Amino acid sequence: MSNILLFAAGSLRGALGPLLAAFQAQTGEQVDTLFGPAGLLRQRIEAGQHPHIFASANLAHPQRLVDLRLSPRVQRFAQNRLCATVRNITELTKPPLLSVLLDSRWRIATSTPGADPSGDYAQQLFDRIETITPGAGDSLRQRALALVGGPDSAPLPPGRLAAEYLLNSGQADIFLGYASYGSVLAEFPELAVRYFPPSLAIRADYGLCLLDERAQRLAAFILGAQGQAILQEQGFLPANVVS
């Protein structure tokens, strides 16, 4: 029997390493993975590729496959939060985070909306800011640079995180991305991770959908106690947290 094929959002790469190792040790089933921006992976499935299970950084992309009758349902399996990684200089770490974002001196990078849910969550942040300070969110939307996660984006060097690479290569001063990377980014003293206050907190809901019954045991493992514990160890929030 062939291995299970999992298509998964790139932000899950680090977390799914230990999770899949535990699953394989418990069941003996082998899993092959393809990681990438969830929107682009969903397009590949629509175009005829056949993974057994799809894990997205949002609910909309797997729901699209349900709507196309390629899967019976979407199940939320984890949550994340948007954060800002900045260069570790006083001008970027000391003022309130909203003030930093609104300072036009600083270049703000995001992932690509539509192709990568991380970019969509950044747009949600700009929407939230616009309701608080009319004009400010729209200004941020115009300034933001979608540098990764799109079909035409330059690939990241192997082993580099988007926030670390873009800031350390001088392409941006601030990167809006996922809080689950916080512990990894903390290993870079030239960078600082900043978190948004409750009024600006953007939650990311991660959803999976089953595309072949062969992956039923894997889906159950991800949603079960052991899989959930591993995801939380890797910086994700529980699927059922209320914020």
Side-chain angles (χ1 to χ4, degrees):
M1 183 178 290
S2 61
N3 295 347
I4 296 169
L5 178 57
L6 165 68
F7 278 15
S11 54
L12 290 164
R13 186 188 301 269
L16 287 184
L19 187 151
L20 293 177
F23 172 75
Q24 291 168 2
Q26 184 177 114
T27 66
E29 296 188 70
Q30 300 298 306
V31 181
D32 296 328
T33 55
L34 178 66
F35 292 100
L40 300 185
L41 294 177
R42 188 260 304 162
Q43 291 175 11
R44 292 173 70 158
I45 297 169
E46 287 190 40
Q49 296 192 26
H50 299 287
H52 300 111
I53 186 171
F54 174 46
S56 172
N58 70 0
L59 302 180
H61 291 311
Q63 183 60 50
R64 165 70 176 170
L65 300 181
V66 172
D67 294 342
L68 292 172
R69 301 183 182 276
L70 297 175
S71 175
R73 66 187 183 280
V74 179
Q75 294 175 282
R76 188 171 66 180
F77 68 93
Q79 294 184 49
N80 212 332
R81 292 175 295 152
L82 202 66
C83 73
T85 303
V86 303
R87 294 192 294 115
N88 193 6
I89 59 175
T90 301
E91 297 96 319
L92 288 168
T93 59
K94 294 303 181 184
L97 183 50
L98 181 57
S99 298
V100 169
L101 291 178
L102 296 181
D103 189 330
S104 61
R105 290 180 295 169
W106 310 121
R107 297 162 299 165
I108 302 171
T110 73
S111 196
T112 303
D116 188 342
S118 175
D120 298 323
Y121 294 125
Q123 296 298 311
Q124 290 181 26
L125 173 66
F126 301 154
D127 290 341
R128 183 81 56 86
I129 292 172
E130 182 67 18
T131 64
I132 296 171
T133 308
D138 289 342
S139 176
L140 283 169
R141 202 184 319 275
Q142 294 172 7
R143 286 172 48 212
L145 306 168
L147 297 182
V148 294
D152 301 316
S153 301
L156 294 172
R160 304 285 292 274
L161 296 179
E164 181 274 322
Y165 174 69
L166 293 175
L167 270 60
N168 280 336
S169 62
Q171 299 181 58
D173 305 295
I174 302 166
F175 182 76
L176 299 178
Y178 292 123
S180 57
Y181 289 123
S183 61
V184 179
L185 291 168
E187 299 174 6
F188 297 90
E190 70 277 14
L191 305 178
V193 178
R194 302 196 61 183
Y195 299 96
F196 290 99
S199 61
L200 295 176
I202 301 296
R203 187 184 72 189
D205 289 314
Y206 281 55
L208 63 80
C209 65
L210 196 64
L211 299 163
D212 187 296
E213 288 299 323
R214 278 203 52 216
Q216 180 62 57
R217 290 178 71 184
L218 175 57
F221 187 88
I222 293 171
L223 292 161
Q226 189 174 356
Q228 289 292 296
I230 293 171
L231 287 170
Q232 290 171 52
E233 289 169 0
Q234 298 298 316
F236 288 83
L237 298 171
N240 60 354
V241 72
V242 177
S243 61

